[in-house]
Amino acid sequence: MLKIDRAKFDPIEKSDFPEIVERKGIGHPDSVCDAAADACSRALCRYYFENFGRYYHHNVDKAALVGGISKPELGGGLIIEPEYFLIVGRAINQIMRENKLEYIPVAPICLDACRQVVGNVFRNIDMTSNNHIQFDYAVRPGSIDLTGVFEESDAMEQIPLANDTSFGVGYAPFSDVEKITLEAENLLNSGAFKDKCPASGEDIKVMVQRVDKNVDITVCGAMVSKYCNDKDAYVNATNQMKDAVLDLAVKIIPEKNCTCSVNVGDNVEAGLLYLTITGTSAEAGDDGEVGRGNRSNGLITPCRTMSLEAVCGKNPINHVGKIYNVLSTEIAREIVEKGQGDIIEAHVKLLSQIGRPITDPWVNSISLIPADNVSFDSIKKIAEEVSRNRLSQEYLIDLRERLIAGKVQVF
Amino acid sequence: MLKIDRAKFDPIEKSDFPEIVERKGIGHPDSVCDAAADACSRALCRYYFENFGRYYHHNVDKAALVGGISKPELGGGLIIEPEYFLIVGRAINQIMRENKLEYIPVAPICLDACRQVVGNVFRNIDMTSNNHIQFDYAVRPGSIDLTGVFEESDAMEQIPLANDTSFGVGYAPFSDVEKITLEAENLLNSGAFKDKCPASGEDIKVMVQRVDKNVDITVCGAMVSKYCNDKDAYVNATNQMKDAVLDLAVKIIPEKNCTCSVNVGDNVEAGLLYLTITGTSAEAGDDGEVGRGNRSNGLITPCRTMSLEAVCGKNPINHVGKIYNVLSTEIAREIVEKGQGDIIEAHVKLLSQIGRPITDPWVNSISLIPADNVSFDSIKKIAEEVSRNRLSQEYLIDLRERLIAGKVQVF
Amino acid sequence: MLKIDRAKFDPIEKSDFPEIVERKGIGHPDSVCDAAADACSRALCRYYFENFGRYYHHNVDKAALVGGISKPELGGGLIIEPEYFLIVGRAINQIMRENKLEYIPVAPICLDACRQVVGNVFRNIDMTSNNHIQFDYAVRPGSIDLTGVFEESDAMEQIPLANDTSFGVGYAPFSDVEKITLEAENLLNSGAFKDKCPASGEDIKVMVQRVDKNVDITVCGAMVSKYCNDKDAYVNATNQMKDAVLDLAVKIIPEKNCTCSVNVGDNVEAGLLYLTITGTSAEAGDDGEVGRGNRSNGLITPCRTMSLEAVCGKNPINHVGKIYNVLSTEIAREIVEKGQGDIIEAHVKLLSQIGRPITDPWVNSISLIPADNVSFDSIKKIAEEVSRNRLSQEYLIDLRERLIAGKVQVF
Amino acid sequence: MLKIDRAKFDPIEKSDFPEIVERKGIGHPDSVCDAAADACSRALCRYYFENFGRYYHHNVDKAALVGGISKPELGGGLIIEPEYFLIVGRAINQIMRENKLEYIPVAPICLDACRQVVGNVFRNIDMTSNNHIQFDYAVRPGSIDLTGVFEESDAMEQIPLANDTSFGVGYAPFSDVEKITLEAENLLNSGAFKDKCPASGEDIKVMVQRVDKNVDITVCGAMVSKYCNDKDAYVNATNQMKDAVLDLAVKIIPEKNCTCSVNVGDNVEAGLLYLTITGTSAEAGDDGEVGRGNRSNGLITPCRTMSLEAVCGKNPINHVGKIYNVLSTEIAREIVEKGQGDIIEAHVKLLSQIGRPITDPWVNSISLIPADNVSFDSIKKIAEEVSRNRLSQEYLIDLRERLIAGKVQVF
């Protein structure tokens, strides 16, 4: 049931409620959980496929990152208790093949995936010991019931059936505020910037607010104590971050007036600094879960329609909670691109029904905002075509492969 | 900055996108996490106050409910591995008073709170052993930094300062679909219904979809195996649930045409039933986290603006992520009530700024839909008055006390 | 290879090195581990037999009782962190029967067994919550290799083959010091004494030293704070313990001169008391393991030959580390009893060889001390007969059943 | 109370009960626990001393090594669940200094110590991930009571007071059987041998039995699957082990007739081999604890008097359970050495009393077996002198330093 209409609301750039956008950077405890959970799903997919020639049921979309206890100081400090990361979920762990039980090493697969994520994200976490972080798993086999649906639709040449009644939503394009939010974090966590400013840790939260043309960018970044031997070094580093963000803003959203503050909670004189040893607040009691941070497009956008579904850790075969959120964003982006300027905004909502082929959503609703003087009918056709194409089996298998390869943004 | 305007969108009852609403019942793994996390916060508040005459910093808004492994059968079955519940967060656990360290028994407080929640929710979980569920805790002291803000604003006669820049959203009134979603779950999990239909477990998910006047209610309920000695008993019980929901619908949303299905995934003939021993899917591998289920008004409403904030487990003193979500709903409801029919819908958005008094949101935006022939100016005044009153210190302290007493819906 | 000789050493009552004997009471952390581990083995045996008509391999002879943190005070006090009990071992958890996997609920079986032990031992531990103690399990399936030996010898009509090369040792009778050590603890932990003196907790250690006829009994007992409202109550209770022990000594070892001290580490004036809330030192950081306390005859006797084998938690079918220790004591006792005064001491050593029937030890060595004027040959015959009888299949099956029924002292 | 007498028993070499000696190699689960626990104590000592100029109370003499689940195969295999190592104990973790709390990072200190031990012991455990083994800690502060005794006697210039009433025992020299038991394991786990025979894992148990001159050496060694591509390779490796042991026996105990068997439980034809991926049985469900393996002289000797005390993990300052066991062996060895052939055997028993200076045991008993034609009086003097010297404060401080430096055998 494809339904395409003209959006009743104003484009985001013209709405007069303050636009608010947030991104929890890759080192934020919630983002770490997201990344690790998704890495587990991808690793399980690869293992199943390499060893059994097909995918098996799994859902590892829960985790707890228990923050540690630390006493950072200018120039160093002490980790008193390590962080503790627990991956939680379900995965088939034994398969009867020719009357013989074969075992899937779910625990090492998941532990490895989680470790690699943490090792890749944090430059200053000691991964040669467990002094900074411990890894644990609670991934158990699922109930027979739940796996039933999966079994029937597993063959790759078949169209998988939705595992649930679930809702996905996407839109395009990003507003200026959304752009700067995402790109500022990307920049501050890039290798190039870290080379210049090693004192900036990976746990960076970017909150951006816009009223009319005025954009306030607030960056909250855990600083790495060993690179801050004194307060001056600390202040220099936060200033570097601020300057980098403002430079970027001038480039990518030149039409807005931007300000930027970094670590507004600090009181430098009183010695209240946002210091960490490892570059993340998780070292000192800030905790994380899967699905509590960025949506699958990388942002938290309370002014947009959002799905509560946690995308990370869900299987990319038949879990519509994952597939439809990613897919609706891809559809919206393709529509806008194909519109070549004729389409100001595209909003896509997909609703599955349990047991229905994922190529055939129960509700498939697209809202478009045409550019001035553009006829709705002309852009409607574009949307129709894009939607049909993106919901084809070929495209969904391609999307699955990209998800498994880790090539799609999911948080 | 209070801003009241006329909403640009249609009332929900007139929107033509399928209205979708969901409620995860009290026995759903995510709801159990929400309930337990909030119970921990309330118990900590009481302990701090009783022993120190004030509240101390805490934030226990994370948890993992790791599902167990079970083999339910008609008439009974076997729990193979218990569920495992881990409460995660931060709470001050030692206080220096008159040069002596005093200890707060954070672990027993939290373990107790979690146990009581689980014991109260589930009629068929064995709480006299750990065979069905284990309880664990990872609640550690927070960083000095984070607690700093709290300290300064702790006195009850003072106005607490917001602990974060955070967004809360609320609306009123409930649509018909929202009403039936919430009330159906309340009914099915009421003592009266359980007395009549003990076979229905507490893990009940209600999903409702509306197109025009047609409302489809889908109930997904874990059935309790010991009360289902055969398939007939199972089918009878699910039929009882269906009939109860349809009876309720006739009463509370008489203008809609309702259908109801229970456990659509079943294949009774093939023996595929949604059977559990304890009444929750968590016994067999379905897992839960805090903040992944219902919003603070009890519902998941993808067609409404939602906040991603987890409300449960946050402290009710200065954690705007909790306070503003609950408060905005209370404001919206009061506005609609005071409007005595003149106000079709009220939508409230509150945005805090870290360090700003919680009585003074940085953004306070109210959108109203007046009834036909009602002047916007007349209802604007009502909203203004309600907003001012609800953001007073008296009201916020009253709200805090109600939150601590557990008298406010938070999930 | 049965070998019976005359002992070369003096009877213990005549040895002139100070005789030292110790008993860790039932509430000592090590004893709790022993009791819980053995209860798990017995419960597994029962489950296997009831559900499969035979016993399966298991070995749950490891555990950790992690002590809690508490702040006891006269009249009460605070538990700050609960104890944590982890049962560790191996047990077959799935069995292929008629091409279908059947699951053994190893976790609930073990958790239940451990809980019951703790609940039975401690009068003042709160078992309706996890505030005082948490229970956890790490009982995993064993390697295929190890279970191999077991499989072949499982049938009850067959003679099990030893699972290991292992050494068991026993002797009889108890010396006076051994008697008073064992009986003093039994008395102090009896229901009758606890009724009279509820302030005495179950964690009681009795150390007895003898030089010639002088016997010093040192009792170290955790006192229960809620029954000690002031120092007087505390002192009264410890005096009650002392008097009870001295009364007992007069009755059962009248020929010795006994003194008794209770809690010698106390400094009552300075307020240094051995106070606990729950009656065990495990509430405040004293930890326990399996096999670190009493030998299978209930005592620690450095002046006697002892086996290091942990008896508790081992399976009673083919685990000679358990069977031979218990059996050698039973043989020694029967020999002395049958001797009707002619045999002063009997010492039995049994050595198995892996894969050899347990009825046929590789080494079976008995040393006897005859009474004055008794010929060695006459008592040798008694020993021969007893040994043959006790190593019969009938007796070993009887012993197994008594072990599974919990009727044999094992720690 | 020093008491020196002539032993009443025969020298071990002349006793006619089968002499039985065992050594659990460094890779045995119990030995790993011993090593790790002791490493934690040493690391804590160093930390306390470096940061506070003194030692603080700790006792980390408990641990659980929970075996993993694996499926080794010739040439490789699969780790399905990692081992789990839990260190358990007590250690002071915060110290009030000049009105400021200072924190001791007990968790990282202990985790690090345990990791290093495991990494050093096992050549084939992957320490760059947690796929083979996880590390955890449950080291909590002790009760105030227990630490009290410690505080008073902490200064290094003072003589520490015994923390407990405890018994230590030692003897010299090693019998031939004891020598070959210890040295065979040392050899098989030496770098040189591993270079030649990488297929032999570190989990090696050596059991030696002697009847008269006939010595049977049974070696049970976990073989490393990746170095055993087929059965021949496996058999070659076990033969290498056998040959190495027999060669050694010829050298160090030439007067005995030795046989040696390796892995007697194997059935090579049937494919029952003692294969492991990591070189330890702990990878597949064999579990370990502290204090369940070798005594402090490196051996399990049921024919000798043994102490049940776990030496590893206890603090070397005032924990007589550790100090007196190590010391009595050192005294016995020195006596025999000083005897220059006049003393066949020396046996030392030391008994402390709680609160008594450790230089002044309550009982200090030495039994000597003089060589033929040697007068007891002459050797008695040697023993007296050695004992006096070894119980001096200087020697005890020297012993403490050697223990902290890890230079003394403790298991």
Side-chain angles (χ1 to χ4, degrees), chain A residues 6-24:
Chain A
R6 179 192 293 257
K8 287 184 182 155
F9 44 81
D10 289 338
I12 186 93
E13 297 286 6
K14 300 205 172 147
S15 94
D16 49 4
F17 181 79
E19 189 185 353
I20 313 164
V21 178
E22 181 181 349
R23 173 162 170 80
K24 294 179 174 173

PDB file of all heavy atoms in Angstrom, chain A residues 6-24:
ATOM      1  N   ARG A   6       1.552  15.160  -0.392  1.00  0.00           N
ATOM      2  CA  ARG A   6       2.266  16.404  -0.174  1.00  0.00           C
ATOM      3  C   ARG A   6       2.295  16.664   1.335  1.00  0.00           C
ATOM      4  O   ARG A   6       1.236  16.603   1.987  1.00  0.00           O
ATOM      5  CB  ARG A   6       1.513  17.522  -0.887  1.00  0.00           C
ATOM      6  CG  ARG A   6       2.108  18.889  -0.739  1.00  0.00           C
ATOM      7  CD  ARG A   6       1.119  19.938  -1.238  1.00  0.00           C
ATOM      8  NE  ARG A   6       0.913  19.846  -2.667  1.00  0.00           N
ATOM      9  CZ  ARG A   6       1.468  20.684  -3.548  1.00  0.00           C
ATOM     10  NH1 ARG A   6       2.247  21.662  -3.136  1.00  0.00           N
ATOM     11  NH2 ARG A   6       1.200  20.565  -4.839  1.00  0.00           N
ATOM     12  N   ALA A   7       3.451  16.918   1.860  1.00  0.00           N
ATOM     13  CA  ALA A   7       3.561  17.117   3.300  1.00  0.00           C
ATOM     14  C   ALA A   7       2.783  18.347   3.733  1.00  0.00           C
ATOM     15  O   ALA A   7       2.777  19.360   3.029  1.00  0.00           O
ATOM     16  CB  ALA A   7       5.032  17.269   3.697  1.00  0.00           C
ATOM     17  N   LYS A   8       2.142  18.256   4.912  1.00  0.00           N
ATOM     18  CA  LYS A   8       1.356  19.396   5.378  1.00  0.00           C
ATOM     19  C   LYS A   8       2.185  20.371   6.190  1.00  0.00           C
ATOM     20  O   LYS A   8       1.744  21.469   6.479  1.00  0.00           O
ATOM     21  CB  LYS A   8       0.207  18.893   6.233  1.00  0.00           C
ATOM     22  CG  LYS A   8      -0.855  18.233   5.366  1.00  0.00           C
ATOM     23  CD  LYS A   8      -2.047  17.815   6.169  1.00  0.00           C
ATOM     24  CE  LYS A   8      -3.031  17.128   5.229  1.00  0.00           C
ATOM     25  NZ  LYS A   8      -3.895  16.202   5.924  1.00  0.00           N
ATOM     26  N   PHE A   9       3.346  19.925   6.603  1.00  0.00           N
ATOM     27  CA  PHE A   9       4.156  20.774   7.489  1.00  0.00           C
ATOM     28  C   PHE A   9       5.185  21.560   6.685  1.00  0.00           C
ATOM     29  O   PHE A   9       5.441  21.267   5.511  1.00  0.00           O
ATOM     30  CB  PHE A   9       4.851  19.910   8.550  1.00  0.00           C
ATOM     31  CG  PHE A   9       5.451  18.647   7.994  1.00  0.00           C
ATOM     32  CD1 PHE A   9       6.687  18.671   7.361  1.00  0.00           C
ATOM     33  CD2 PHE A   9       4.763  17.439   8.076  1.00  0.00           C
ATOM     34  CE1 PHE A   9       7.240  17.503   6.852  1.00  0.00           C
ATOM     35  CE2 PHE A   9       5.314  16.276   7.554  1.00  0.00           C
ATOM     36  CZ  PHE A   9       6.554  16.302   6.943  1.00  0.00           C
ATOM     37  N   ASP A  10       5.736  22.554   7.321  1.00  0.00           N
ATOM     38  CA  ASP A  10       6.748  23.396   6.682  1.00  0.00           C
ATOM     39  C   ASP A  10       8.087  22.651   6.617  1.00  0.00           C
ATOM     40  O   ASP A  10       8.359  21.778   7.435  1.00  0.00           O
ATOM     41  CB  ASP A  10       6.963  24.669   7.508  1.00  0.00           C
ATOM     42  CG  ASP A  10       5.772  25.592   7.415  1.00  0.00           C
ATOM     43  OD1 ASP A  10       5.000  25.480   6.441  1.00  0.00           O
ATOM     44  OD2 ASP A  10       5.603  26.404   8.350  1.00  0.00           O
ATOM     45  N   PRO A  11       8.925  23.044   5.689  1.00  0.00           N
ATOM     46  CA  PRO A  11      10.290  22.502   5.698  1.00  0.00           C
ATOM     47  C   PRO A  11      10.973  22.872   7.018  1.00  0.00           C
ATOM     48  O   PRO A  11      10.694  23.933   7.581  1.00  0.00           O
ATOM     49  CB  PRO A  11      10.981  23.194   4.530  1.00  0.00           C
ATOM     50  CG  PRO A  11       9.924  23.806   3.714  1.00  0.00           C
ATOM     51  CD  PRO A  11       8.709  23.989   4.561  1.00  0.00           C
ATOM     52  N   ILE A  12      11.864  22.011   7.458  1.00  0.00           N
ATOM     53  CA  ILE A  12      12.496  22.206   8.765  1.00  0.00           C
ATOM     54  C   ILE A  12      13.193  23.563   8.836  1.00  0.00           C
ATOM     55  O   ILE A  12      13.175  24.224   9.880  1.00  0.00           O
ATOM     56  CB  ILE A  12      13.484  21.059   9.072  1.00  0.00           C
ATOM     57  CG1 ILE A  12      14.042  21.157  10.496  1.00  0.00           C
ATOM     58  CG2 ILE A  12      14.651  21.036   8.085  1.00  0.00           C
ATOM     59  CD1 ILE A  12      13.292  20.386  11.484  1.00  0.00           C
ATOM     60  N   GLU A  13      13.766  23.972   7.744  1.00  0.00           N
ATOM     61  CA  GLU A  13      14.520  25.233   7.781  1.00  0.00           C
ATOM     62  C   GLU A  13      13.589  26.418   8.036  1.00  0.00           C
ATOM     63  O   GLU A  13      14.043  27.488   8.417  1.00  0.00           O
ATOM     64  CB  GLU A  13      15.282  25.451   6.462  1.00  0.00           C
ATOM     65  CG  GLU A  13      16.352  24.401   6.166  1.00  0.00           C
ATOM     66  CD  GLU A  13      17.611  24.540   7.030  1.00  0.00           C
ATOM     67  OE1 GLU A  13      17.624  25.372   7.951  1.00  0.00           O
ATOM     68  OE2 GLU A  13      18.568  23.778   6.797  1.00  0.00           O
ATOM     69  N   LYS A  14      12.311  26.208   7.834  1.00  0.00           N
ATOM     70  CA  LYS A  14      11.381  27.322   8.020  1.00  0.00           C
ATOM     71  C   LYS A  14      10.560  27.187   9.286  1.00  0.00           C
ATOM     72  O   LYS A  14       9.762  28.066   9.603  1.00  0.00           O
ATOM     73  CB  LYS A  14      10.461  27.413   6.813  1.00  0.00           C
ATOM     74  CG  LYS A  14      11.250  27.656   5.542  1.00  0.00           C
ATOM     75  CD  LYS A  14      10.436  28.328   4.476  1.00  0.00           C
ATOM     76  CE  LYS A  14      11.364  28.699   3.314  1.00  0.00           C
ATOM     77  NZ  LYS A  14      10.692  28.633   2.015  1.00  0.00           N
ATOM     78  N   SER A  15      10.684  26.092   9.993  1.00  0.00           N
ATOM     79  CA  SER A  15       9.888  25.951  11.218  1.00  0.00           C
ATOM     80  C   SER A  15      10.428  26.920  12.250  1.00  0.00           C
ATOM     81  O   SER A  15      11.613  27.231  12.280  1.00  0.00           O
ATOM     82  CB  SER A  15       9.959  24.514  11.734  1.00  0.00           C
ATOM     83  OG  SER A  15      10.985  24.392  12.678  1.00  0.00           O
ATOM     84  N   ASP A  16       9.547  27.434  13.090  1.00  0.00           N
ATOM     85  CA  ASP A  16      10.031  28.466  14.012  1.00  0.00           C
ATOM     86  C   ASP A  16      10.232  27.976  15.444  1.00  0.00           C
ATOM     87  O   ASP A  16      10.704  28.713  16.292  1.00  0.00           O
ATOM     88  CB  ASP A  16       9.138  29.708  13.978  1.00  0.00           C
ATOM     89  CG  ASP A  16       7.692  29.326  14.120  1.00  0.00           C
ATOM     90  OD1 ASP A  16       7.434  28.121  14.325  1.00  0.00           O
ATOM     91  OD2 ASP A  16       6.836  30.210  14.037  1.00  0.00           O
ATOM     92  N   PHE A  17       9.883  26.746  15.713  1.00  0.00           N
ATOM     93  CA  PHE A  17      10.315  26.201  16.999  1.00  0.00           C
ATOM     94  C   PHE A  17      11.822  26.016  16.916  1.00  0.00           C
ATOM     95  O   PHE A  17      12.359  25.664  15.875  1.00  0.00           O
ATOM     96  CB  PHE A  17       9.658  24.842  17.263  1.00  0.00           C
ATOM     97  CG  PHE A  17      10.041  24.254  18.585  1.00  0.00           C
ATOM     98  CD1 PHE A  17       9.450  24.684  19.768  1.00  0.00           C
ATOM     99  CD2 PHE A  17      11.028  23.269  18.667  1.00  0.00           C
ATOM    100  CE1 PHE A  17       9.814  24.148  20.986  1.00  0.00           C
ATOM    101  CE2 PHE A  17      11.400  22.732  19.896  1.00  0.00           C
ATOM    102  CZ  PHE A  17      10.790  23.172  21.060  1.00  0.00           C
ATOM    103  N   PRO A  18      12.504  26.294  18.002  1.00  0.00           N
ATOM    104  CA  PRO A  18      13.955  26.086  17.957  1.00  0.00           C
ATOM    105  C   PRO A  18      14.263  24.675  17.449  1.00  0.00           C
ATOM    106  O   PRO A  18      13.709  23.707  17.960  1.00  0.00           O
ATOM    107  CB  PRO A  18      14.387  26.230  19.420  1.00  0.00           C
ATOM    108  CG  PRO A  18      13.318  26.996  20.092  1.00  0.00           C
ATOM    109  CD  PRO A  18      12.056  26.751  19.333  1.00  0.00           C
ATOM    110  N   GLU A  19      15.090  24.583  16.459  1.00  0.00           N
ATOM    111  CA  GLU A  19      15.500  23.257  15.980  1.00  0.00           C
ATOM    112  C   GLU A  19      16.587  22.728  16.906  1.00  0.00           C
ATOM    113  O   GLU A  19      17.546  23.433  17.216  1.00  0.00           O
ATOM    114  CB  GLU A  19      16.023  23.376  14.535  1.00  0.00           C
ATOM    115  CG  GLU A  19      16.265  22.023  13.903  1.00  0.00           C
ATOM    116  CD  GLU A  19      16.912  22.135  12.508  1.00  0.00           C
ATOM    117  OE1 GLU A  19      17.042  23.267  12.005  1.00  0.00           O
ATOM    118  OE2 GLU A  19      17.303  21.089  11.977  1.00  0.00           O
ATOM    119  N   ILE A  20      16.398  21.518  17.332  1.00  0.00           N
ATOM    120  CA  ILE A  20      17.358  20.910  18.260  1.00  0.00           C
ATOM    121  C   ILE A  20      17.869  19.612  17.651  1.00  0.00           C
ATOM    122  O   ILE A  20      17.065  18.770  17.242  1.00  0.00           O
ATOM    123  CB  ILE A  20      16.695  20.535  19.605  1.00  0.00           C
ATOM    124  CG1 ILE A  20      15.844  21.682  20.136  1.00  0.00           C
ATOM    125  CG2 ILE A  20      17.736  20.122  20.623  1.00  0.00           C
ATOM    126  CD1 ILE A  20      14.888  21.222  21.221  1.00  0.00           C
ATOM    127  N   VAL A  21      19.164  19.439  17.605  1.00  0.00           N
ATOM    128  CA  VAL A  21      19.732  18.206  17.068  1.00  0.00           C
ATOM    129  C   VAL A  21      20.914  17.810  17.948  1.00  0.00           C
ATOM    130  O   VAL A  21      21.638  18.666  18.460  1.00  0.00           O
ATOM    131  CB  VAL A  21      20.200  18.394  15.606  1.00  0.00           C
ATOM    132  CG1 VAL A  21      20.839  17.112  15.084  1.00  0.00           C
ATOM    133  CG2 VAL A  21      19.031  18.790  14.732  1.00  0.00           C
ATOM    134  N   GLU A  22      21.074  16.519  18.122  1.00  0.00           N
ATOM    135  CA  GLU A  22      22.144  16.034  18.970  1.00  0.00           C
ATOM    136  C   GLU A  22      22.815  14.838  18.308  1.00  0.00           C
ATOM    137  O   GLU A  22      22.189  14.065  17.592  1.00  0.00           O
ATOM    138  CB  GLU A  22      21.535  15.598  20.320  1.00  0.00           C
ATOM    139  CG  GLU A  22      22.533  15.085  21.321  1.00  0.00           C
ATOM    140  CD  GLU A  22      21.861  14.645  22.625  1.00  0.00           C
ATOM    141  OE1 GLU A  22      20.669  14.932  22.828  1.00  0.00           O
ATOM    142  OE2 GLU A  22      22.541  13.978  23.432  1.00  0.00           O
ATOM    143  N   ARG A  23      24.096  14.715  18.544  1.00  0.00           N
ATOM    144  CA  ARG A  23      24.782  13.473  18.170  1.00  0.00           C
ATOM    145  C   ARG A  23      25.674  13.025  19.314  1.00  0.00           C
ATOM    146  O   ARG A  23      26.495  13.799  19.816  1.00  0.00           O
ATOM    147  CB  ARG A  23      25.612  13.665  16.902  1.00  0.00           C
ATOM    148  CG  ARG A  23      26.475  12.426  16.579  1.00  0.00           C
ATOM    149  CD  ARG A  23      26.975  12.361  15.167  1.00  0.00           C
ATOM    150  NE  ARG A  23      27.954  11.309  14.990  1.00  0.00           N
ATOM    151  CZ  ARG A  23      27.682  10.002  14.828  1.00  0.00           C
ATOM    152  NH1 ARG A  23      26.416   9.609  14.784  1.00  0.00           N
ATOM    153  NH2 ARG A  23      28.638   9.110  14.704  1.00  0.00           N
ATOM    154  N   LYS A  24      25.484  11.802  19.719  1.00  0.00           N
ATOM    155  CA  LYS A  24      26.382  11.202  20.684  1.00  0.00           C
ATOM    156  C   LYS A  24      27.534  10.604  19.893  1.00  0.00           C
ATOM    157  O   LYS A  24      27.331   9.709  19.065  1.00  0.00           O
ATOM    158  CB  LYS A  24      25.658  10.132  21.487  1.00  0.00           C
ATOM    159  CG  LYS A  24      24.546  10.700  22.384  1.00  0.00           C
ATOM    160  CD  LYS A  24      23.805   9.619  23.160  1.00  0.00           C
ATOM    161  CE  LYS A  24      22.815  10.273  24.151  1.00  0.00           C
ATOM    162  NZ  LYS A  24      21.947   9.264  24.804  1.00  0.00           N
TER     163      LYS A  24
END
